[in-house]
Amino acid sequence: MNELVVNGRKSARKVLVALDGSRASLDVVSYLSHMLAPKDSEVVLFNVSPSKPESFWDIEQDPGYAPLAIWSERRTRALNKFMEQSRDVFLEAGFGEDNVSMRIKDRTVGIARDIIREAKKGYDAVVFGRVGSNPITRLVIGSVAEKLLSSLEDVPVWLVAKTMKNRKVLIAMDSSACSMRCVEYAGKMLADTDAEFMLFHVLRNYDFRLMEDQDDIVTELESSRWFKITDEELAKARLGMQEAMSEARTLLEHVGVAPERVGTKIMSGMATRGGTIAAQALLGGYGTVVIGRRGLSEAREFNMGRVCRKVVHLAGDTAVWVVS
């Protein structure tokens, strides 16, 4: 992780917060000000502001058009007020004045692309809302959020929905190197808080059906030794994950997380990993899920693994950290 010098001392974390002035942005501010420890954190509140309403990009318009000038003035005033209010939330949460800065930038090439350019300047996290200011769409993820999530493959991104003010963190684990990076990352970001961590793994059930209505195949296999072999393999997989979780607990303790703040859970016989992770977060009241962008395959052809993608789309009001 980056080390940033703030007021003569090193900061453990530097976070870019993309805001658009919407209600969803307020949820992002509330979540982050509660989640991060004020000490040794630098927060950059960042807004990319269009020069005119979105609808005006569809038509030719005189730059001197009077209503446009009025709109621009009012928007600037409203954004300044919103950013000041957002900054005050962090100050009230105990952040130092020099640790919270604001930047309002005119759009250059596009809102998402301008945020992406800024995000690649050495941040430990980029935080944004699941949806933006468009009141009409009912998308699970807004268009700007989708672009950021897909494009920022080398920077951890935090996708925030409605505020859940708790520090219960579910870390989705497998035996991959990316999974261990998730553990270390979450530990470093939250070590000096009272966050509680649950290391969670899902073992899927086995289904030999090739297509629907092929119970005869399953019946044949049940009468053979294959089911016994599969049970033995599942037991071996469980033991392997228990060892990985033990290593993860040690890693968390090494970065400053007390052992009593870490639990472990393995669920087996489930039909889907992503769906089970999302359901566990909901039923367990977890405010945050941490997951690797890619799993065991680490296929570079895709910007996100299928389990991660499912969790992102099914998480609902739970914040999701996607770690590369």
Side-chain angles (χ1 to χ4, degrees), residues 136-153:
I136 300 176
T137 58
R138 293 294 181 267
L139 299 174
V140 175
I141 303 176
S143 59
V144 172
E146 180 68 45
K147 291 174 183 176
L148 297 178
L149 185 62
S150 298
S151 301
L152 292 172
E153 296 189 49

Side-chain angles (χ1 to χ4, degrees), residues 266-297:
I266 299 175
M267 292 186 69
S268 59
M270 312 309 294
T272 167
R273 286 194 179 117
T276 303
I277 293 167
Q280 181 67 25
L282 175 63
L283 295 174
Y286 291 91
T288 303
V289 171
V290 181
I291 189 167
R293 180 174 285 273
R294 297 179 181 86
L296 290 168
S297 68

Side-chain angles (χ1 to χ4, degrees), residues 293-305:
R293 180 174 285 273
R294 297 179 181 86
L296 290 168
S297 68
E298 296 199 7
R300 300 299 301 183
E301 294 89 346
F302 306 104
N303 57 42
M304 197 183 313

